Amino acid sequence: MGYNINEKGYYGEFGGAYIPEMLYPNIEELQLNYLQIMAEPSFKAEFDQLLKDYVGRPSPLYFAKRLSKKYNTKIYLKREDLNHTGAHKINNTIGQILMAQRLGKTRIIAETGAGQHGVATATVCALMNMKCIIYMGEIDIARQAPNVARMKMLGAEVRPALSGSRTLKDATNEAIRDWINNPVDTHYIIGSVVGPHPYPDMVARFQAVISEEIQWQLKNKEGTTKPNYVIACVGGGSNAAGAFYHYLEDINVNLIAVEAAGKGINSGKSAATSVLGREGIIHGSKTLLMQTNDGQITEPYSISAGLDYPGVGPMHAHLYTSGRAEFISITDDEAMTAGLELSQLEGIIPAIETSHSLAIFNHKQFKTDDIIVINLSGRGDKDLQNYIDYFKI
Ligand SMILES: *Cc1c(COP(=O)(O)O)cnc(C)c1O
């Protein structure tokens, strides 16, 4: 059985492109061209160059000595937090802006919840001199003021979504409406491995640079390309998809996806999508999502804005149902404690999203000689106020 996408755009039974007819031309243009464009030597060369000189890749694979000692196992941290703009999201937006250029687009739209993807998109639009419109729920605009300011500073226009709950899914609706009205000159940059085919696959391929680097970095340090475990947090699933990518078919490498349990799986305030979700359609793909019995999408909750998503990408839905990856849910409290611990053991303040994956060590016992790679998806600067309020530092 394969764990990667098939030629029809499905991971097992998940994926596909469930979109309004008016979007067919936009999606078809991407479906027909994305693999070919990504395979062009000039595309690869420009992508690699920007990842190196602009993003700062390769990101280090750091052996966390004190953390390893504490948990009596070998822990490596893949330092995506050191990328320009502070997380893995820039890998994808660089790839997609180059894709948009090759398709002759001059205008970029995106939606954002916490604002991290909006900032990564506004950044590459400034870099490439593209018009940039970011849709964001009115409530999120109020909650995420620093990121809104960043986007504006970078030259983007931030348009509030005023309908519904005025959060991420309403911003998504606005972005889709915009795209339907501007099919010729506009590219829609989706920020995770979600959305209609080919987005999940395209985003996974752009993020796959993470596991590509882990392979040779680990070879240099441990003499093997294969860790025993790769661990990553999952919101939509892009940093995990990138960290897992080159290990998907290698079942000797255990994959662990960490979701946000919020205040607890059964508390009604959670974002543990795989565990709590049922099959449904969100954002144009068939996947697992949290919904009521009559199919209304349930509001997710997590202390980390980046994991606060009601669905999970189709790759992860398949990794979950097939059992290829182990899914673990971590509460707000466990994540915050793990974030403080990493700060004080290693001098690295992680994003709260990432702190969820670091809490794994209180859930699972590893062997002394296990090699564990944790994808450190982002830095915690954006979350400082949250940490400070939580710990009353
Ligand atoms: C956005 C974000 C996530 C969650 O998104 P994925 O697509 O699941 O990777 C995780 N960590 C950080 C730091 C983020 O900014």
Side-chain angles (χ1 to χ4, degrees):
M1 185 161 76
Y3 297 102
N4 214 326
I5 199 157
N6 68 22
E7 58 296 334
K8 295 204 174 80
Y10 281 83
Y11 299 86
E13 60 189 296
F14 301 107
Y18 298 82
I19 50 170
E21 204 168 323
M22 310 254 279
L23 265 187
Y24 282 6
N26 314 40
I27 291 298
E28 208 161 43
E29 184 183 35
L30 265 184
Q31 285 176 350
L32 292 174
N33 292 296
Y34 81 109
L35 287 177
Q36 203 178 324
I37 290 174
M38 283 181 74
E40 283 167 10
S42 68
F43 182 95
K44 281 189 172 165
E46 197 176 355
F47 184 52
D48 290 348
Q49 188 77 48
L50 284 169
L51 288 184
K52 180 165 176 276
D53 295 337
Y54 189 71
V55 175
R57 303 203 72 90
S59 66
L61 183 68
Y62 165 70
F63 177 64
K65 197 166 154 196
R66 294 188 67 209
L67 192 68
S68 298
K69 184 147 189 263
K70 169 147 191 198
Y71 292 104
N72 196 23
T73 188
K74 278 188 191 172
I75 305 168
Y76 284 89
L77 304 176
K78 180 59 174 161
R79 300 290 309 273
E80 294 300 296
D81 60 315
L82 294 178
N83 292 342
H84 180 45
T85 70
H88 65 290
K89 286 192 171 72
I90 191 88
N91 304 326
N92 169 49
T93 57
I94 293 267
Q96 285 203 49
I97 199 97
L98 295 178
M99 179 69 57
Q101 283 181 327
R102 300 302 194 278
L103 292 169
K105 311 292 179 183
T106 55
R107 183 175 174 272
I108 297 295
I109 56 171
E111 91 272 351
T112 194
Q116 294 302 110
H117 173 57
V119 170
T121 301
T123 300
V124 297
C125 287
L127 178 69
M128 295 299 179
N129 189 26
M130 290 246 200
K131 192 171 163 55
C132 181
I133 292 149
I134 306 291
Y135 289 94
M136 193 166 181
E138 195 183 29
I139 302 267
D140 290 332
I141 288 180
R143 281 195 293 215
Q144 308 290 343
N147 276 339
V148 174
R150 282 187 190 103
M151 288 180 249
K152 290 182 175 166
M153 177 96 187
L154 292 161
E157 182 192 337
V158 181
R159 287 195 190 160
L162 305 170
S163 62
S165 58
R166 294 172 290 152
T167 56
L168 182 62
K169 88 178 140 43
D170 312 291
T172 305
N173 292 339
E174 296 287 335
I176 289 172
R177 198 166 307 142
D178 181 311
W179 208 22
I180 288 172
N181 291 328
N182 300 283
V184 178
D185 67 345
T186 299
H187 175 70
Y188 179 14
I189 300 191
I190 293 182
S192 190
V193 284
V194 300
H197 175 64
Y199 278 100
D201 185 44
M202 179 167 68
V203 176
R205 285 168 187 265
F206 289 140
Q207 294 291 0
V209 64
I210 299 172
S211 47
E212 193 184 305
E213 289 173 3
I214 293 172
Q215 288 181 307
W216 63 258
Q217 289 172 321
L218 204 59
K219 177 89 185 163
N220 285 343
K221 290 174 195 294
E222 292 283 346
T224 173
T225 58
K226 301 172 195 213
N228 298 94
Y229 292 87
V230 181
I231 302 171
C233 63
V234 173
S238 68
N239 87 85
F244 295 170
Y245 197 86
H246 291 281
Y247 300 113
L248 282 174
E249 309 298 340
D250 189 342
I251 54 161
N252 293 321
V253 178
N254 298 291
L255 308 177
I256 301 182
V258 180
E259 292 188 313
K263 296 201 181 294
I265 291 277
N266 298 314
S267 68
K269 296 199 84 184
S270 177
T273 317
S274 306
V275 182
L276 293 172
R278 282 183 296 118
E279 190 175 300
I281 291 179
I282 183 171
H283 214 144
S285 75
K286 190 197 283 182
T287 188
L288 293 173
L289 64 129
M290 304 197 316
Q291 50 191 309
T292 59
N293 284 335
D294 54 356
Q296 297 289 328
I297 292 170
T298 318
E299 273 301 317
Y301 163 82
S302 164
I303 194 167
S304 83
L307 302 184
D308 190 352
Y309 182 71
V312 65
M315 175 198 278
H316 298 288
H318 183 50
L319 292 176
Y320 177 74
T321 52
S322 65
R324 171 66 184 95
E326 182 179 354
F327 280 67
I328 289 182
S329 329
I330 295 294
T331 64
D332 289 354
D333 292 337
E334 294 171 305
M336 295 305 270
T337 303
L340 185 64
E341 179 181 81
L342 187 75
S343 305
Q344 301 189 351
L345 276 181
E346 296 288 347
I348 299 171
I349 301 176
I352 298 178
E353 290 84 358
T354 316
S355 294
H356 285 73
S357 41
L358 294 159
I360 187 89
F361 298 108
N362 290 315
H363 269 253
K364 204 175 158 76
Q365 190 75 45
F366 296 95
K367 295 200 204 93
T368 309
D369 58 354
D370 275 342
I371 299 171
I372 294 158
V373 174
I374 295 206
N375 198 33
L376 210 80
S377 58
R379 70 176 83 128
D381 305 33
K382 68 183 178 64
D383 298 318
L384 265 191
Q385 197 57 51
N386 250 335
Y387 281 124
I388 287 167
D389 293 347
Y390 184 89
F391 290 110
K392 305 189 169 51
I393 294 170

